[in-house]
Amino acid sequence: MLLFLLLILQTSLKGSCTSVSGHCRFPLGMEDGRVKDKDITASSKWYETTGPQFARLNREEGDGAWCPEGQLQHSDSQYLQVDLSVLTFLTLVGTQGRYARGLGKEFARAYRLNYSRDGLTWKAWKNRQGNTVIEGNKNTYAIVYKELHPSIIARYVRLIPVTELSSTVCMRVELYGCPWHDGLISYSAPEGQLMMPPGYPPASLNDSIYDGTHERSCSGGLGQLTDGVVGMDDFLLTHEKQVWSGYDYLGWRNDSQGTQGHVEMEFVFDRQRNFTSMKVHSNNLFTRGVKIFSSVSCWFKPRLIANWEQETVTFRTVLDDRNPSARYVTVPLNQRTAKALRCRFYFADVWMMFSEISFQSGENPHPDLKTSTHGELKVKSNDPTEETNTPILIGCLVTIILLLVVIIFLILWCQCVCKVLEKAPRRILDEEVTIRLSSCSPANTDPHYERVFLLDPQYQNPAVLRNKLPELPQSAEASACGGGYAEPDVTQCTPHQSFHSNAPHYAETDIIRLQGVTGSNMYAVPALTVDSLTRKDISAAEFPRQQLIFREKLGEGQFGEVHLCEAEGLPEFLGEGSPLPDRDSRPVLVAVKQLRADATLQARNDFLKEIKIMSRLDDPNIIRLLCVCVSSDPLCMVTEYMENGDLNMFLSQREIESTLTHANSIPSVSLCDLLHMAVQISSGMKYLASLNFVHRDLATRNCLVDRRLTIKIADFGMSRNLYSSDYYRIQGRAVLPIRWMAWESILLGKFTTASDVWAFGVTLWEIFTLCKEQPYSLLSDEQVIENTGEFFRNQGRQIFLYSPPLCPPSLFEVMMRCWSRNITDRPTFDGIYQTLRRHVRE
Ligand SMILES: *[C@@H]1O[C@H](CO)[C@@H](O)[C@H](O)[C@H]1NC(C)=O
Ligand SMILES: *[C@@H]1O[C@H](CO)[C@@H](O)[C@H](O)[C@H]1NC(C)=O
Ligand SMILES: *[C@@H]1O[C@H](CO)[C@@H](O)[C@H](O)[C@H]1NC(C)=O
Ligand SMILES: *[C@@H]1O[C@H](CO)[C@@H](O)[C@H](O)[C@H]1NC(C)=O
């Protein structure tokens, strides 16, 4: 299992994500010779010794580079052509001049790119602003890397040096990217339309980077739908800067000319393929009249010159009126073989918007290990408009989680089959009962709650599941497998919430909310559909920024920094009913969380959202938002700070009170203090739970302590380097607090109050070990995840945290109940609070 996981992690980081430009940067073989001499040609060469075969980056053969004949004029169009022999997703170009051991003087200050998929029609590359010229070298030796935004899907590439003045140029190059396994060589679609959202600038939903013809409809090319950039939940926001709103999406209006309730698209592939599925990334901002398609029908054609086959594949989606997130919709294509596909997407609302479409076909080879052994290029881009890696990271996370879910499904499926084969009398697997109960429990008001195994495309189509189990007798199948997954037994569910009627179906986007714990979101908010917040939504008062006096940096995260500041005149500013404790005329210390000045619009909105959420929280055990500075940049939120710092630090520096410790100088705490702390945390969590807030990162590092041992729950941990080992890292970036996370959060991406209860159990454990040890300190991150799988399988092989020596047995029982595999077996925060209170009194 461990190996498997690692393998998955590896392949998903290297492979599945290769379509995302950030991870697809493998050198394609100019330098190391995988591109053969015969595949490098040129419009001309000056001498035999400056022929195209010498245009290899970092090589010094011949006269050291390729140089076209004569002096290059401004109007000239000389080129170097590389045949990559397969369709390739190109993301980066590296160029170098002719060094020739110090003798060379020539280099190309600028160049253009042409590319072709078939070797016949050539297209000129343009960046997102429509410029074709790429800045090249400044000297004869340094390599200049240029990111291609948008990336290119092509087999042939031409580099065309350009000059202002007549001069000699020479070039050495390397191309970077990865094989394009989709095999899609062109799509055609009606031209995207202009939307006039009231109160916003018009959104142009056209396919602006489409490289085919634009006449009437787009045809013969690829564009926005294959550029690897997934649109955001709010289609008006874009990943690129300096583009218009709606840029990432291609969108159509139902009632416009040429659409009779549907949009028809055609897809042409490099060869015949055996299709398993199509994934369509679609917007679902229903508040603005956008929804995923209601159904899609696809026709297939075995050859280009042939008739469309009679039999179609039709797929109905389950519409979702609750979750406005953009999502991938997976359409099963039932292993049909074709070279071309025509699909009709039916409108479910006034607008339909897609940002990406990809195809999975049977013989898709797995990531080309041949190329990946050459190592990914790690270059710091010198392109100022370069994107952050967040979308890629999210993409990878989603992929990993998806894969995990697929594994779970396989395991379960296997168990089902085994059970039936053994003719075991048990009707229903524990797993399924659990999942069923959990997904129907009336306590679930958090929309994240129900996204169980729906991640797997299998589940979207019960028919597929059936087909996979042909040997099973119908009844056995229904009770052993069908029940829990495809068709929940409604009699067991009160209130009834069928997956088919209203449960949001395509959950991949929800996983994206995992980024909530990477520092910008404090709590997961159920169904908060704030698109843009304005000043008046924020109830906290604006504090004069100059009265915040910087003391020290508490932490730093993706969003910005957290500073410890002294706030001059804050008690007076807050006036009557100020939540500040007595100060004894000491300065008021506050934590100031400050958004990075160059934060994206999305991050700004998240930040404002967090302020809004925080300003609604009012509990003695929750850190309080005191005031904000949002009238000018950088945006700040000012929260209480507690002089004893965080609980983890506080406890780890203490010993348990005993007659012995009085003698030495180590400060001590009593068992009673510890219990009292636990009560306070449960009380704060009880409050959050009553508001249906899910914290997602409860741990001692996120609780603050004051002089009187009052505890307040906050969320700083993620932003502190100090605790980085508590978070699981993907590609060197802290991501998930896996040691505190419930199995269903890790495996299924479900974050609920019940998973907070799990984390509370771990927090309790930390308290009673005086934070001297990390949970599961003997297990590596991978082993922790593996252990999660054991929790899921529930075959008694899972490892629990041990009972801390200080911990009364009855309290350990509470912890163990928090770590119940079944969500319904876990206590509520209210219950925990009552139990702990009883302990304190005893
Ligand atoms: C590059 O592509 C453009 C547009 O198709 C074409 O006009 C131009 O001639 C091409 N140049 C070369 C050198 O292929
Ligand atoms: C797409 O819309 C933008 C903004 O309205 C416009 O500048 C651009 O030319 C359009 N592109 C195409 C290919 O029509
Ligand atoms: C889309 O337009 C068609 C024809 O104009 C109409 O029949 C249909 O009801 C519309 N569908 C939606 C979901 O608005
Ligand atoms: C497509 O794949 C399926 C499953 O792998 C297989 O049963 C079917 O024969 C394949 N079809 C063709 C035409 O190769």
Side-chain angles (χ1 to χ4, degrees):
M1 182 68 186
L2 175 64
L3 266 178
F4 197 31
L5 264 171
L6 283 176
L7 200 75
I8 285 165
L9 270 175
Q10 213 157 16
T11 48
S12 53
L13 290 174
K14 285 216 168 127
S16 314
C17 294
T18 48
S19 64
V20 185
S21 47
H23 285 277
C24 167
R25 293 160 154 242
F26 301 105
L28 295 172
M30 288 292 280
E31 180 174 352
D32 63 19
R34 274 173 301 139
V35 176
K36 299 283 170 257
D37 282 353
K38 70 172 171 43
D39 292 328
I40 313 173
T41 51
S43 53
S44 71
K45 59 190 173 203
W46 201 327
Y47 297 110
E48 279 308 315
T49 50
T50 56
Q53 68 274 27
F54 302 115
R56 297 176 185 274
L57 197 83
N58 279 332
R59 298 265 285 255
E60 287 283 352
E61 278 134 39
D63 266 343
W66 161 71
C67 314
E69 192 174 5
Q71 297 255 316
L72 192 69
Q73 308 299 327
H74 178 61
S75 57
D76 275 0
S77 163
Q78 298 275 4
Y79 61 83
L80 175 78
Q81 178 174 327
V82 182
D83 175 0
L84 294 165
S85 74
V86 288
L87 277 180
T88 304
F89 195 81
L90 283 169
T91 55
L92 190 76
V93 180
T95 57
Q96 209 176 8
R98 186 176 85 95
Y99 178 64
R101 297 171 195 88
L103 297 175
K105 288 195 280 293
E106 307 83 356
F107 53 91
R109 288 183 187 278
Y111 60 96
R112 286 184 280 132
L113 285 177
N114 270 17
Y115 60 93
S116 171
R117 289 189 267 276
D118 55 7
L120 301 171
T121 49
W122 288 88
K123 315 187 183 206
W125 180 84
K126 289 199 269 305
N127 75 2
R128 299 203 187 258
Q129 283 74 40
N131 301 325
T132 56
V133 176
I134 304 174
E135 214 181 294
N137 298 92
K138 296 211 162 45
N139 54 41
T140 58
Y141 47 88
I143 307 173
V144 171
Y145 295 103
K146 286 292 169 183
E147 303 253 355
L148 299 177
H149 291 297
S151 0
I152 295 175
I153 297 165
R155 173 175 162 180
Y156 305 89
V157 183
R158 282 180 182 170
L159 285 100
I160 310 164
V162 294
T163 60
E164 281 297 313
L165 309 165
S166 152
S167 65
T168 327
V169 297
C170 297
M171 291 183 93
R172 286 179 288 170
V173 304
E174 179 64 282
L175 301 167
Y176 301 85
C178 53
W180 171 241
H181 293 309
D182 267 36
L184 183 64
I185 51 176
S186 73
Y187 65 77
S188 56
E191 183 60 275
Q193 292 157 4
L194 191 69
M195 183 190 203
M196 299 287 200
Y200 293 93
S204 198
L205 300 161
N206 61 10
D207 199 341
S208 50
I209 60 165
Y210 193 71
D211 61 11
T213 58
H214 272 282
E215 286 147 16
R216 263 190 286 147
S217 69
C218 306
S219 68
L222 295 176
Q224 222 73 288
L225 295 181
T226 51
D227 68 348
V229 179
V230 172
M232 299 199 207
D233 292 353
D234 181 351
F235 57 86
L236 295 175
L237 304 179
T238 60
H239 286 288
E240 298 292 323
K241 292 163 196 140
Q242 300 157 16
V243 290
W244 52 88
S245 69
Y247 182 87
D248 290 338
Y249 283 97
L250 187 54
W252 309 271
R253 200 184 153 91
N254 182 10
D255 55 7
S256 61
Q257 254 200 345
T259 55
Q260 286 99 30
H262 66 255
V263 165
E264 191 168 283
M265 301 179 72
E266 268 186 45
F267 305 91
V268 177
F269 294 82
D270 54 349
R271 57 190 156 81
Q272 234 182 48
R273 286 176 179 256
N274 192 345
F275 292 102
T276 43
S277 59
M278 162 171 79
K279 284 179 145 205
V280 183
H281 187 264
S282 179
N283 194 280
N284 197 46
L285 197 56
F286 51 83
T287 50
R288 302 238 184 88
V290 189
K291 263 202 208 131
I292 63 168
F293 47 94
S294 61
S295 68
V296 55
S297 295
C298 295
W299 286 260
F300 299 82
K301 201 153 78 167
R303 289 170 307 280
L304 273 192
I305 317 283
N307 291 329
W308 293 105
E309 287 171 357
Q310 291 261 306
E311 199 190 333
T312 60
V313 169
T314 299
F315 177 74
R316 302 199 142 273
T317 63
V318 175
L319 295 173
D320 173 1
D321 286 334
R322 291 199 292 172
N323 180 350
S325 309
R327 77 264 328 262
Y328 271 109
V329 181
T330 305
V331 178
L333 294 177
N334 301 356
Q335 306 293 347
R336 292 281 297 270
T337 315
K339 181 159 160 66
L341 231 74
R342 172 197 282 168
C343 292
R344 263 184 201 169
F345 297 91
Y346 290 87
F347 283 91
D349 209 323
V350 184
W351 284 92
M352 188 157 73
M353 295 182 192
F354 300 157
S355 76
E356 285 292 301
I357 295 189
S358 67
F359 291 86
Q360 291 70 46
S361 50
E363 55 276 60
N364 260 6
H366 253 288
D368 195 330
L369 289 174
K370 204 171 95 242
T371 49
S372 51
T373 52
H374 289 269
E376 210 176 321
L377 180 75
K378 295 271 190 291
V379 282
K380 189 107 180 80
S381 161
N382 38 16
D383 182 353
T385 61
E386 211 219 336
E387 277 295 300
T388 67
N389 280 330
T390 327
I392 299 152
L393 190 72
I394 293 167
C396 291
L397 258 179
V398 169
T399 318
I400 292 166
I401 289 166
L402 260 173
L403 281 166
L404 282 174
V405 172
V406 170
I407 296 167
I408 293 162
F409 168 75
L410 285 176
I411 292 165
L412 269 182
W413 179 70
C414 175
Q415 285 189 352
C416 282
V417 172
C418 298
K419 290 272 148 64
V420 171
L421 290 183
E422 287 164 13
K423 302 213 160 37
R426 274 182 59 208
R427 303 177 329 280
I428 303 172
L429 294 174
D430 288 348
E431 272 81 6
E432 285 146 25
V433 178
T434 322
I435 289 170
R436 183 186 304 167
L437 290 179
S438 67
S439 60
C440 300
S441 140
N444 296 343
T445 35
D446 184 332
H448 301 301
Y449 216 103
E450 294 150 346
R451 317 297 155 65
V452 196
F453 31 71
L454 300 168
L455 299 166
D456 188 327
Q458 304 284 4
Y459 297 115
Q460 292 170 13
N461 187 347
V464 176
L465 192 68
R466 289 252 170 64
N467 294 343
K468 286 225 157 182
L469 301 166
E471 322 87 332
L472 301 185
Q474 190 65 33
S475 58
E477 172 210 330
S479 58
C481 289
Y485 297 106
E487 289 152 327
D489 180 358
V490 294
T491 56
Q492 303 222 0
C493 306
T494 36
H496 164 51
Q497 286 192 325
S498 152
F499 293 123
H500 292 269
S501 59
N502 48 20
H505 227 122
Y506 308 100
E508 285 156 85
T509 49
D510 284 296
I511 304 297
I512 286 172
R513 288 168 193 254
L514 292 180
Q515 75 173 320
V517 294
T518 58
S520 61
N521 284 7
M522 179 163 175
Y523 304 103
V525 188
L528 185 76
T529 58
V530 207
D531 293 324
S532 57
L533 292 160
T534 51
R535 182 68 188 83
K536 66 179 185 317
D537 291 321
I538 296 166
S539 54
E542 177 83 19
F543 188 70
R545 192 185 289 274
Q546 64 280 8
Q547 283 170 241
L548 292 172
I549 296 150
F550 177 84
R551 279 293 195 75
E552 72 181 85
K553 189 155 115 184
L554 288 176
E556 185 169 18
Q558 266 173 296
F559 60 87
E561 296 187 340
V562 181
H563 294 166
L564 177 64
C565 293
E566 204 176 290
E568 269 180 1
L570 186 61
E572 295 74 26
F573 178 82
L574 294 174
E576 270 308 292
S578 138
L580 296 173
D582 290 344
R583 299 168 295 130
D584 321 335
S585 74
R586 278 187 292 179
V588 183
L589 291 180
V590 292
V592 178
K593 187 167 173 179
Q594 182 173 319
L595 188 69
R596 279 195 352 222
D598 61 346
T600 59
L601 195 56
Q602 178 82 44
R604 268 179 87 89
N605 271 345
D606 283 347
F607 194 80
L608 291 172
K609 221 183 271 181
E610 183 178 344
I611 291 183
K612 184 172 173 183
I613 295 159
M614 290 239 0
S615 66
R616 282 200 249 148
L617 301 179
D618 179 13
D619 184 83
N621 298 112
I622 302 286
I623 210 81
R624 203 181 299 249
L625 180 72
L626 298 173
C627 51
V628 295
C629 309
V630 293
S631 63
S632 61
D633 276 339
L635 304 184
C636 291
M637 64 176 97
V638 179
T639 62
E640 286 176 294
Y641 186 75
M642 318 272 280
E643 53 232 279
N644 274 331
D646 74 70
L647 185 58
N648 189 287
M649 197 73 86
F650 180 81
L651 287 180
S652 61
Q653 291 162 358
R654 274 165 179 75
E655 292 292 327
I656 199 72
E657 198 169 77
S658 75
T659 44
L660 282 177
T661 51
H662 280 306
N664 60 37
S665 58
I666 300 175
S668 63
V669 287
S670 69
L671 204 54
C672 180
D673 292 338
L674 296 184
L675 268 172
H676 191 58
M677 288 170 181
V679 171
Q680 293 183 69
I681 298 174
S682 66
S683 169
M685 290 308 294
K686 182 167 74 107
Y687 172 76
L688 285 187
S690 73
L691 299 177
N692 285 322
F693 282 142
V694 180
H695 186 291
R696 296 179 182 223
D697 196 8
L698 180 62
T700 52
R701 62 179 174 277
N702 285 333
C703 297
L704 299 182
V705 195
D706 78 358
R707 257 181 307 153
R708 301 195 185 113
L709 302 191
T710 309
I711 306 259
K712 298 201 181 198
I713 301 167
D715 176 59
F716 294 113
M718 206 53 195
S719 53
R720 290 214 220 160
N721 296 337
L722 204 57
Y723 293 118
S724 55
S725 70
D726 287 348
Y727 295 92
Y728 184 53
R729 293 172 162 266
I730 293 177
Q731 296 242 311
R733 292 167 71 155
V735 186
L736 298 171
I738 51 169
R739 288 164 201 269
W740 282 259
M741 277 164 74
W743 68 266
E744 74 274 11
S745 307
I746 296 181
L747 296 183
L748 306 172
K750 284 205 309 176
F751 287 89
T752 57
T753 296
S755 60
D756 276 353
V757 167
W758 180 297
F760 177 81
V762 182
T763 308
L764 210 53
W765 182 89
E766 284 185 279
I767 293 177
F768 284 91
T769 52
L770 291 182
C771 301
K772 298 282 189 280
E773 197 184 317
Q774 198 188 30
Y776 311 103
S777 56
L778 296 178
L779 303 188
S780 67
D781 283 351
E782 285 70 26
Q783 286 167 328
V784 170
I785 295 185
E786 199 187 355
N787 192 32
T788 307
E790 296 296 349
F791 268 104
F792 172 72
R793 282 190 290 279
N794 208 16
Q795 291 162 341
R797 286 202 295 261
Q798 62 270 51
I799 301 168
F800 288 91
L801 289 168
Y802 63 85
S803 171
L806 291 177
C807 180
S810 55
L811 214 62
F812 187 62
E813 233 163 70
V814 175
M815 291 181 205
M816 288 296 282
R817 280 207 289 135
C818 294
W819 305 322
S820 298
R821 183 193 179 286
N822 295 358
I823 286 168
T824 41
D825 293 345
R826 295 183 204 155
T828 60
F829 277 116
D830 198 27
I832 294 173
Y833 173 71
Q834 303 300 350
T835 314
L836 294 179
R837 281 251 316 254
R838 241 176 284 132
H839 269 92
V840 174
R841 273 193 250 115
E842 275 159 16

